[in-house]
Amino acid sequence: MENIELLNFIDLNIEEKEMILKWRNNPKIRMWMYNQDEIKLEEHLNFIESIKSRKDKLYFLVKKEEEFIGVIDFTQLVEKKSVHMGIYANPSIKGNGAILLNKIINYSFNNLKVERVFSEVFAENEKAHNLYKKFNFKDISEKTVNNKKVICMELENENR
């Protein structure tokens, strides 16, 4: 079994925080975010500081063996009910999307003990959409963000 570690953003050192910001600002990552602006270091550090006092958000850097493979996050956490998930992989390595999504699912249901996980994905991000469907997420609605179609999805604990 792979050695996967979740490192809470609030416990990271400055080098790890800067590495995450570099990933987040990578055009291949940024294009799939609702906020597609380049984020400044001060904004990034302020955001991490702000989540220290939040009970509705969790952000993790994911480490596999000795390599940082991506970021997963949980927002809009409603105790025992639901959580919204976010995910992005280290842009310099490929093939970790399923590992990251599996971590999200397990953490959501086993640690957060929610009944359902929600995800939103730009319709043109077919790779992510297909990955979520492979893990039994179901399309439930659509909306428009940044003039692009977004597919809203959910995974119920009983259907995983």
Side-chain angles (χ1 to χ4, degrees):
M1 186 171 193
E2 294 150 342
N3 183 16
I4 307 286
E5 196 176 350
L6 300 182
L7 307 169
N8 195 313
F9 269 31
I10 64 175
D11 298 324
L12 300 178
N13 63 41
I14 189 67
E15 291 83 12
E16 292 163 338
K17 292 174 185 176
E18 288 173 344
M19 175 187 68
I20 290 166
L21 179 61
K22 186 177 176 187
W23 295 353
R24 172 60 181 79
N25 281 333
N26 182 300
K28 291 177 183 170
I29 302 292
R30 211 171 63 219
M31 70 187 285
W32 303 121
M33 299 291 182
Y34 287 171
N35 173 6
Q36 297 181 350
D37 298 334
E38 197 158 315
I39 297 169
K40 305 280 184 256
L41 179 60
E42 183 179 1
E43 288 176 82
H44 181 63
L45 296 177
N46 287 340
F47 170 74
I48 293 172
E49 188 64 29
S50 78
I51 60 176
K52 288 182 179 179
S53 61
R54 303 286 300 259
K55 299 285 185 230
D56 62 334
K57 293 184 179 197
L58 286 167
Y59 284 74
F60 294 102
L61 174 60
V62 183
K63 188 176 185 181
K64 176 183 165 191
E65 307 298 333
E66 294 302 313
E67 188 171 44
F68 295 112
I69 63 167
V71 168
I72 60 173
D73 67 73
F74 305 90
T75 61
Q76 301 176 51
L77 178 59
V78 179
E79 195 170 329
K80 304 294 183 210
K81 294 290 181 196
S82 66
V83 69
H84 287 247
M85 50 94 30
I87 181 174
Y88 57 94
N90 176 341
S92 65
I93 54 177
K94 300 254 187 254
N96 287 306
I99 292 169
L100 294 168
L101 189 54
N102 195 48
K103 273 301 187 198
I104 287 171
I105 292 167
N106 287 332
Y107 194 89
S108 295
F109 295 127
N110 299 334
N111 296 74
L112 300 176
K113 309 276 191 216
V114 296
E115 295 171 9
R116 58 181 40 92
V117 178
F118 292 103
S119 179
E120 297 179 357
V121 61
F122 285 112
E124 44 189 64
N125 190 351
E126 293 176 14
K127 187 175 177 183
H129 187 223
N130 289 333
L131 178 65
Y132 299 161
K133 288 196 296 193
K134 182 177 165 186
F135 279 82
N136 293 324
F137 278 81
K138 305 289 183 233
D139 295 359
I140 55 169
S141 64
E142 294 178 359
K143 64 182 184 179
T144 303
V145 176
N146 301 332
N147 295 314
K148 295 179 185 175
K149 185 168 100 172
V150 171
I151 301 167
C152 303
M153 306 180 78
E154 83 172 352
L155 175 66
E156 294 184 19
N157 191 11
E158 61 205 39
N159 294 333
R160 63 180 173 134

